[in-house]
Amino acid sequence: MQKYAIDERGYYGEFGGAFIPEILHKCVTDLKEAYLRIMESDRFQQDFEKLLRDYVGRPSPLYHSKQLSERYGCKIYLKREDLNHTGAHKINNTIGQILIAREMGKTRIIAETGAGQHGVATATVCALMQMPCTVYMGKTDVERQEVNVKKMEMLGATVVPVISGNMTLKDATNEAIRDWCAHPGDTHYIIGSTIGPDPYPDMVARLQSVISREIKEQLLREEGRDYPDYLFACVGGGSNAAGTIYHYLNDERVRIVLAEAGGKGIDSGESAATIHLGSAGIIHGCRTLLMQTEDGQITEPYSISAGLDYPGIGPIHAYLSSMKRAQVLAVNDDEALKAAFDLTRNEGIIPALESAHALAALDKVIFSPGDIAVLTLSGRGDKDLETYFNVPM
Ligand SMILES: *Cc1c(COP(=O)(O)O)cnc(C)c1O
């Protein structure tokens, strides 16, 4: 874990760090001092493993897709995070973070959410642990994502519509940070991806790394070797991708292909392809690549997929891309939609639109016979049905 691991200052190369208001300094330092000790404790490991097994439904299957394998002339496996409780990988992180929060004596949880998926995963574990939960969500998103808002409320969370800025994810995050500044003593902020100030990116990557730990065991059983030739995942903030690649980072036999959202095309002005279009700057408390104007204003991202519609990217992925350890491809809306319909018709699996970006990236790689590829299907498509219904079939 040396070469691509976070350094003791909390950086991956030039990316990462903690850029936070002074008032949060103690909160973030306390978390940094506690998270590894807690995560390595027997109590945490037992509780985390048990909940992942009995509550989330892990291990998630590694499914050999005959249809995709035939089409691409190699062996393609799908890592089925779509089968987790609440329908995506996000629950791995929220379960882990609420256990850490409990261990640190925190009694209240806050979160930000864009499309509502992370909000639902957070409200779910708060119901499980009987902790009060406040979720900040841009007003525009509240109106677009009624079902997820209703789910969070049914789970007992308070959803606060945010009316500043464009009233989307970035504004919700600002509001969550403001709340945290007002209640630094009793509140833990559950960030939903490998973003935010150090130690969040590393903590979230470790919590999601159960994905690659399972892939190793499952591949060894199926193939007699514990590594694939290729790993594929989509990247919004980068948590499902980080979990998918975590235990393979130093294994250079494994090629890493990440799909970011090209939107209507990277040159169209309507895109969320941060690695292609971004430059270094500070967002959500860390230094990373982000989409911004020349004078440093964050540009509103666009993607058909709400979960990839984020103007930044986890610092680990900015670093892996700069080191050429990961190949990052931009996948456009129409390519993702086509891939989603193909998988649905040919395998009977309706994928999340985010995951469909990873599926479409298969088209952009030239495989050799005998190659083994593992693609993380980060979530199921139930939440995207409305978008799918509007596609002419
Ligand atoms: C939120 C979400 C993503 C994007 O988040 P990452 O942190 O990049 O993994 C991808 N897929 C699904 C299904 C999601 O809900």
Side-chain angles (χ1 to χ4, degrees), residues 88-90 117 193 234-240 307-308 352 354 378-379 383:
H89 65 291
K90 286 197 171 74
Q117 294 302 107
S193 190
C234 62
V235 266
S239 68
N240 87 88
L308 302 183
E354 294 85 358
S378 54
K383 67 185 179 56

Side-chain angles (χ1 to χ4, degrees), residues 6-19 32 197-199:
I6 198 150
D7 67 22
E8 57 295 339
R9 294 157 45 247
Y11 278 82
Y12 303 92
E14 60 172 304
F15 302 112
F19 299 83
K32 189 172 163 77
D198 174 54

Side-chain angles (χ1 to χ4, degrees), residues 78-83 87-89 232 240 343 349-352 355-356 358-359 375-380:
L78 301 177
K79 181 62 173 159
R80 300 288 308 274
E81 295 300 300
D82 61 315
L83 295 178
H89 65 291
F232 286 82
N240 87 88
L343 192 76
I349 299 171
I350 304 178
S355 321
L359 289 164
L375 183 150
T376 293
L377 210 61
S378 54
R380 65 179 85 128

Side-chain angles (χ1 to χ4, degrees), residues 78-107:
L78 301 177
K79 181 62 173 159
R80 300 288 308 274
E81 295 300 300
D82 61 315
L83 295 178
N84 294 341
H85 178 45
T86 69
H89 65 291
K90 286 197 171 74
I91 190 93
N92 304 326
N93 170 48
T94 56
I95 294 240
Q97 282 201 48
I98 204 161
L99 290 174
I100 292 170
R102 188 185 66 179
E103 210 59 40
M104 292 181 72
K106 303 288 178 177
T107 54

